[in-house]
Amino acid sequence: MDRSLALHLSTLLLLSSAMSFPLRGAAADPNLKIGRYETNTKECSFTGSKQESSACITLQLKGRSASVVAVRLIGHGSTKNSRRQLTFVTLTTQGESPLKCSAGTCRLEAQSWQSAVSSVAEASFNSNGIATGLPKAWAANNGECSLKDRVLRCSALHINGEIYKAEAHF
C-alpha cells in the first residue's frame, strides 16, 4: 500500500475514533435531567378519557430536559397481563426537574415539586406488550402535577371538559 494512502487512512481512523468520545461541557454533564426514574406504588389510581378510575402499580418520571418531565402511571388493563398507561407531560416554569440523572438512570432528588401540565396521553398494551390501538394525546388546559411527602398528584382539563387526574403514593 502506498505510504501516503496509509497515512491518510490512519489519520481518518484516528479522527473518527476521537469523535466517538464524549466532549467536555454540557454533553458530559453528569447532572443532566434526561433519563428515567421508576418505582412501584403503594397506592395509586388514575382517571383517563373513559372517566373511570383505574388502579396503577408503577410510577415513571421521564426527564426529557431540565424543564420537561413526563409523569407516567401504569396499571393493569382489561385482560390478563395487559397494561394501561396515562402520561402527563409537564413543563416546569419555576425551579427545575425533580430528577438527578446519570447515563439515563435517575434518582428522585426533590422532596417537593410543582409543574404545569402541557399535554396528556394514554395508551393500552396487550399481554405481549403490543399496543392495542393508537396512543391518544391531547393538549391540556389548567393542568398541574405536584409532589409532596412521597405523594404525586396530577390533574388536567381537556378542552371538551374531561378531567384527567392521578394520585400515586410511593
Side-chain angles (χ1 to χ4, degrees), residues 18-153:
M19 291 175 65
S20 67
F21 292 103
L23 300 173
R24 293 195 182 272
D29 184 2
N31 297 321
L32 282 178
K33 306 297 182 179
I34 299 171
R36 182 172 77 183
Y37 168 80
E38 182 173 319
T39 187
N40 291 329
T41 58
K42 295 177 182 175
E43 182 181 332
C44 183
S45 65
F46 65 83
T47 302
S49 63
K50 294 181 181 176
Q51 297 297 286
E52 55 191 45
S53 183
S54 297
C56 39
I57 53 175
T58 303
L59 169 67
Q60 292 179 348
L61 298 176
K62 295 178 99 176
R64 296 183 179 167
S65 72
S67 60
V68 177
V69 176
V71 176
R72 177 171 292 150
L73 300 116
I74 302 169
H76 295 291
S78 57
T79 60
K80 185 178 179 182
N81 296 325
S82 66
R83 296 282 184 253
R84 286 185 60 207
Q85 64 186 36
L86 182 66
T87 304
F88 295 86
V89 178
T90 69
L91 179 60
T92 302
T93 55
Q94 297 176 354
E96 281 194 357
S97 166
L99 302 172
K100 182 169 186 162
C101 307
S102 178
T105 301
C106 302
R107 292 189 324 260
L108 184 60
E109 287 277 303
Q111 296 297 316
S112 64
W113 168 71
Q114 189 171 339
S115 190
V117 174
S118 62
S119 63
V120 180
E122 64 183 349
S124 297
F125 302 89
N126 68 18
S127 60
N128 294 320
I130 298 170
T132 58
L134 293 174
K136 299 172 187 144
W138 305 270
N141 291 334
N142 302 324
E144 179 179 273
C145 285
S146 63
L147 170 68
K148 186 170 182 171
D149 300 326
R150 309 272 309 161
V151 177
L152 183 80
R153 290 181 177 92

